[in-house]
Amino acid sequence: MFKKTLLVDMINRSSETPADRRNFLRGMGLLSAGAVGAGLVGTATAESASAATPSEGSVLNFALNLEYLEAEFYCYAAYGHGLAESMATGTGTQGGVTGGHRVPFKSKAMRYYAEEIANDEIAHVKFLRSALGSAAVSRPAINLQDSFTAAAVAAGVIKQGETFDPFSSEAFFLLGAFLFEDVGVTAYKGAAPLISTPAYLEAAAGILAVEAYHSGIVRTLLYENGLSAPTNLISDARDALDGSGADKDQGITVGSGGRANLVAADANAIAYSRSPQEVLNIVYLTPGTGVTKGGFYPNGLNGDIATS
């Protein structure tokens, strides 16, 4: 395992600017991200889900897949166990969870933050499963072990051959949480145009608001704990992985002076949007189209929206 100071020192040895890092990740970095994910990603066989507008049920099930991942991560971090099996059943192939254990929190406040977010994510899973009824997908196989190491290597936070365990310390837990939180915000905002039923749209907006609260908490804690360097590297990697070609991600500092940037938003202070396929590129840890599994979902997602 690696201490926070080692992570920061590894990154500070580079003289690259944020713009240089983004250009590198979009070029050679994408190749390394693909190589890192090669052991986790299978050959694409399905056509892109973007060929047709998905149903609202498909969109909600896509969100449920993401909520399963967040809920499992925070449950293990806060309580040392995952979701109850009764909350993991449904249509599609139910999978298990690899990795995860309780974080050895030293700060009572940090432990309370983790527990509150875990409870929120559990509630999101329950809500979406209830809204979908018998159409709710089961929890797919989730990897909370190799996936984090692959993501950290691709981002340049650690080197090939090293291990990143987000459950090993408070600092690593925050960096692991950062991988998810901003993605959740952009995913819900990007899905909004696909939902027309007022009740579903209101519910999705409510979940988006809570995910944004979570993102703000995590970004603030990362900044306060001096973790801006590795956090910004993860942001750059996410931005490169989504395959959009646009800048849809922001680190937690701006400028050479390290001024805080706690809200990820465009010039109009509006949150970014990602399509389901862009989100899949990130959680599968592989850019491009036609990918059906990998990264945090070694066997892919359940439901109609599962191909990048």
Side-chain angles (χ1 to χ4, degrees):
M1 292 298 95
F2 305 92
K3 295 182 179 180
K4 178 177 69 176
T5 53
L6 176 58
L7 288 176
V8 174
D9 288 342
M10 288 169 63
I11 293 157
N12 285 342
R13 285 199 294 268
S14 171
S15 62
E16 296 166 353
T17 66
D20 290 334
R21 288 200 303 269
R22 290 183 191 276
N23 291 334
F24 175 77
L25 285 163
R26 289 199 177 97
M28 292 180 64
L30 290 180
L31 296 177
S32 71
V36 169
L40 300 172
V41 180
T43 303
T45 58
E47 294 181 353
S48 173
S50 61
T53 301
S55 68
E56 290 181 329
S58 296
V59 173
L60 293 181
N61 265 321
F62 175 70
L64 178 56
N65 277 280
L66 300 179
E67 294 294 348
Y68 280 136
L69 175 59
E70 288 192 297
E72 292 290 359
F73 171 74
Y74 283 110
C75 278
Y76 273 104
Y79 303 119
H81 61 77
L83 293 172
E85 283 302 300
S86 61
M87 293 180 62
T89 59
T91 63
T93 303
Q94 182 177 338
V97 179
T98 302
H101 56 85
R102 192 168 190 171
V103 175
F105 291 108
K106 297 180 179 180
S107 163
K108 182 186 294 185
M110 189 81 74
R111 177 168 60 84
Y112 286 168
Y113 294 144
E115 290 175 354
E116 180 175 3
I117 296 177
N119 293 339
D120 288 343
E121 300 301 351
I122 293 170
H124 288 169
V125 170
K126 289 181 178 178
F127 174 80
L128 288 171
R129 285 173 59 85
S130 176
L132 287 160
S134 61
V137 295
S138 61
R139 179 195 61 208
I142 291 175
N143 188 320
L144 296 176
Q145 186 170 297
D146 302 326
S147 53
F148 278 105
T149 293
V153 170
V157 174
I158 60 174
K159 297 178 181 179
Q160 188 75 46
E162 297 174 341
T163 301
F164 185 95
D165 179 3
F167 305 98
S168 63
S169 68
E170 292 179 347
F172 275 36
F173 162 72
L174 288 173
L175 290 170
F178 179 71
L179 267 169
F180 299 137
E181 289 304 341
D182 286 2
V183 177
V185 173
T186 58
Y188 275 102
K189 183 169 181 290
L194 304 176
I195 301 174
S196 58
T197 302
Y200 287 164
L201 184 58
E202 181 181 8
I207 296 177
L208 166 60
V210 172
E211 296 294 349
Y213 283 135
H214 294 171
S215 176
I217 292 170
V218 171
R219 292 174 71 93
T220 299
L221 290 172
L222 285 163
Y223 184 79
E224 289 181 344
N225 282 274
L227 291 165
S228 59
T231 301
N232 292 348
L233 283 179
I234 293 171
S235 171
D236 289 340
R238 272 194 320 225
D239 200 33
L241 275 171
D242 70 24
S244 66
D247 191 345
K248 296 186 176 183
D249 220 296
Q250 289 180 356
I252 56 173
T253 59
V254 291
S256 58
R259 186 180 181 87
N261 180 52
L262 302 182
V263 179
D266 65 16
N268 297 312
I270 295 174
Y272 296 103
S273 299
R274 282 191 172 101
S275 70
Q277 284 66 47
E278 291 167 352
V279 172
L280 287 170
N281 282 340
I282 295 173
V283 298
Y284 286 164
L285 299 182
T286 303
T289 59
V291 180
T292 60
K293 60 184 178 179
F296 294 96
Y297 297 96
N299 298 329
L301 274 66
N302 285 321
D304 296 329
I305 304 176
T307 305
S308 69

